[in-house]
Amino acid sequence: MAESWVNAAEALGSDLHLELAGAGGRRAALMRALRDAIRGGRLAPGTRLPPYRSLAADLGIARNTVADAYAELVAEGWLTARQGSGTRVAPRADPLPARRTGGARSSGDRENAPRPVHNLLQGSPDAAAFPRTAWLASARRALTAAPSEAFGPGDPHGRPELRRALADYLARARGVRTDPDRIVICSGFAHALRLLSGTRALRHKAAVEAYGLDFHRSLLAAAGIRTVPLPLDEHGARTEELATRRDLRGVTTVLLTPAHQFPTGGPLHPERRATAVDWARASGGLIVEDDYDGEFRYDRRPVGAVQGLDPDRVLYVGSVSKSLSPALRLGWMVLPDALVDEALAAKGEREGWVSALDQLTLADFLESGGYDRHVRRMRQRYRRRRDQLVAALAERAPHIRVSGIAAGLHAVLALPPGTERSAVRAAARHGLALDGLADYRHPEATGPAAHDGLVVGYAAPPDHAFAGALDALCRALPPGDSPTSR
């Protein structure tokens, strides 16, 4: 009996899970189960149902019972049947109420704002520029060459092919000093924080930059780790305070974005990079380096990773979220030897986050030169976008100072005091999605008063819509009496 079911299922199409229960016989139970599946949304309008013989074999009932149930539901309007098209769920069979989308709105001002037409939120690359053809070619080569064991349970360390390719690439392009055994594959920086929380890398209390992602601070808080802010100036985080401030006593880890401070922009000054490493060596502390967009620089020489100064004191974390796509969920941690086993223990025995096939594809993409070619191409495209933004502001809002533009995928626009919230509301009214700078400030940050500003991502809009996005931005900015110096 089992063999006949398998043969029928293989030959006659898709599976459909239905529970036949209740009084009235098999036909009534089948009709009841189909109505419930349609009414509950499991069978959407237009869904093709299995042929009579296939469903009958799956459910262990007579073929005529299924045929009769289908025919009656067609007569009732739940299903449709056409020659050559099979039996399908009717287009308007007891439709579900409209599904709510999105989360809670942050303020009443956004309730009356139009749906955003232009996306100038930071953090997203140009989705249309994903290198589909080159990625597909790498995927084909990788699958052809992959050993059979690559299709079994994953290794929490990550595929050795990718770790070897990353060790070579990071040494060449980012100045990272490592070997494949010290690289652990993860799905991005947030995943790295989750894995490191509770290891000796992140415990109890950590220093962070005064401006950064609240999401990352929330992850640490959920793990019982208190974050203490380091103030920022034009040279980046004031790392000299790690050894002098009383409230930083007990801190054993500092999180930095040294290549391009997020979100204010600018690299960490060389002296402050050295100061952070000296603090880590003297105190036994560690530095977590978030290299989120280090490949994209325009007007300055490349800034290498801090990890190259001391691989035993710096944990380097990177991903392809900005360079390729956040949809890939591919990242890496370059760890000191002493932390590799702890990170693997936190990850578990089975790889549950990153597809081995995507890892193999990225390994080929790196080794074939496809990744370098894509980064160079996108560097040119994003620089043109950056230049368009700067030119539009110079012409239409010369009183607005723009900073953080030498690298990365976003800029910061300094606003007159007291105008940030109104500018964000005005942007929403013009159908423009962007963030205010205050959204990124640590709630315990002290020192200089917070500056009003906008964080403008210029990578995400498609080329044909970018001019319209800049026009909406300029119309949303507060007026000024006189230009300020750039």
Side-chain angles (χ1 to χ4, degrees):
M1 185 67 180
E3 183 179 354
S4 65
W5 182 91
V6 170
N7 291 338
E10 289 176 348
L12 295 174
S14 58
D15 291 340
L16 177 60
H17 175 73
L18 295 172
E19 294 285 349
L20 304 188
R26 293 287 197 174
R27 181 171 64 84
L30 175 57
M31 292 174 59
R32 194 160 46 241
L34 286 168
R35 289 193 197 100
D36 289 345
I38 295 169
R39 188 182 293 115
R42 286 202 304 116
L43 292 176
T47 300
R48 184 169 181 167
L49 299 185
Y52 308 149
R53 182 180 166 190
S54 175
L55 188 59
D58 288 356
L59 298 177
I61 60 179
R63 177 182 174 186
N64 286 344
T65 300
V66 178
D68 290 346
Y70 277 12
E72 190 161 343
L73 290 173
V74 168
E76 292 178 3
W78 291 90
L79 304 177
T80 62
R82 289 190 179 89
Q83 185 68 31
S85 180
T87 304
R88 296 178 181 271
V89 177
R92 291 180 292 176
D94 197 14
L96 289 168
R99 181 183 296 174
R100 295 185 178 184
T101 59
R105 296 178 183 267
S106 60
S107 71
D109 297 312
R110 295 185 180 180
E111 292 290 347
N112 298 320
R115 183 177 179 178
V117 177
H118 302 293
N119 177 15
L120 291 182
L121 294 170
Q122 64 76 30
S124 297
D126 185 351
F130 183 83
R132 302 185 192 204
T133 301
W135 184 261
L136 181 58
S138 283
R140 286 173 175 162
R141 288 192 298 267
L143 288 174
T144 301
S148 297
E149 55 87 13
F151 300 93
D155 179 353
H157 212 144
R159 289 299 308 172
E161 298 90 341
L162 178 56
R163 291 187 284 113
R164 287 194 297 267
L166 282 170
D168 292 340
Y169 171 78
L170 294 173
R172 170 173 55 82
R174 303 297 302 127
V176 170
R177 295 160 54 195
T178 190
D179 58 66
D181 288 342
R182 295 173 64 171
I183 297 176
V184 175
I185 303 302
C186 60
S187 63
F189 189 74
H191 183 209
L193 286 184
R194 291 188 179 100
L195 293 174
L196 295 172
S197 297
T199 71
R200 76 184 81 175
L202 281 170
R203 285 179 178 167
H204 309 307
K205 192 175 179 181
V208 298
E209 294 163 329
Y211 283 85
L213 278 177
D214 180 64
F215 174 57
H216 292 164
R217 295 192 293 262
S218 297
L219 285 178
L220 295 176
I225 300 168
R226 182 194 168 200
T227 58
V228 183
L230 281 175
L232 298 166
D233 59 23
E234 66 273 18
H235 300 302
R238 297 183 60 88
T239 56
E240 66 274 13
E241 296 190 10
L242 287 167
T244 60
R245 266 176 44 194
R246 177 174 297 181
D247 62 335
L248 289 170
R249 293 176 183 172
V251 163
T252 57
T253 306
V254 58
L255 280 65
L256 299 173
T257 53
H260 185 227
Q261 200 287 319
F262 181 85
T264 62
L268 185 63
H269 191 278
E271 289 185 5
R272 293 187 178 176
R273 293 158 68 97
T275 297
V277 172
D278 289 343
W279 165 82
R281 289 170 175 166
S283 66
L286 295 167
I287 299 168
V288 177
E289 178 176 10
D290 180 5
D291 193 28
Y292 67 99
D293 66 357
E295 287 117 334
F296 297 112
R297 72 274 179 184
Y298 314 118
D299 300 327
R300 59 172 167 80
R301 298 178 63 183
V303 178
V306 172
Q307 191 268 0
L309 298 178
D310 193 333
D312 292 327
R313 289 292 159 195
V314 183
L315 293 71
Y316 175 92
V317 184
S319 78
V320 298
S321 294
K322 304 294 186 296
S323 57
L324 284 172
S325 169
L328 285 176
R329 307 312 309 147
L330 259 171
W332 47 85
M333 299 181 288
V334 179
L335 303 172
D337 282 330
L339 283 171
V340 172
D341 287 343
E342 286 193 57
L344 293 177
K347 207 173 183 191
E349 294 183 0
R350 292 295 180 97
E351 174 60 75
W353 299 273
V354 183
S355 162
L357 304 184
D358 284 341
Q359 292 184 54
L360 291 169
T361 302
L362 180 58
D364 181 273
F365 201 52
L366 287 163
E367 292 176 339
S368 67
Y371 187 80
D372 285 276
R373 289 189 292 273
H374 174 72
V375 167
R376 287 196 297 270
R377 183 168 60 251
M378 297 312 298
R379 195 180 291 148
Q380 294 173 353
R381 177 176 295 195
Y382 293 146
R383 177 169 183 162
R384 287 195 297 270
R385 293 280 187 91
R386 189 277 314 262
D387 291 346
Q388 286 178 262
L389 169 64
V390 172
L393 292 172
E395 179 182 355
R396 299 181 56 182
H399 58 290
I400 300 296
R401 183 174 62 85
V402 58
S403 62
I405 59 174
L409 308 182
H410 71 271
V412 174
L413 277 54
L415 300 179
T419 62
E420 179 178 312
R421 290 295 99 192
S422 62
V424 172
R425 290 193 294 267
R429 289 194 297 272
H430 286 91
L432 185 65
L434 50 68
D435 291 325
L437 184 59
D439 294 331
Y440 299 92
R441 185 173 171 88
H442 194 291
E444 298 177 20
T446 58
H451 298 291
D452 284 41
L454 298 176
V455 180
V456 177
Y458 48 79
D463 285 339
H464 70 271
F466 192 53
L470 292 181
D471 178 66
L473 173 64
C474 291
R475 285 187 281 120
L477 293 174
D481 297 329
S482 61
T484 60
S485 62
R486 282 186 185 272

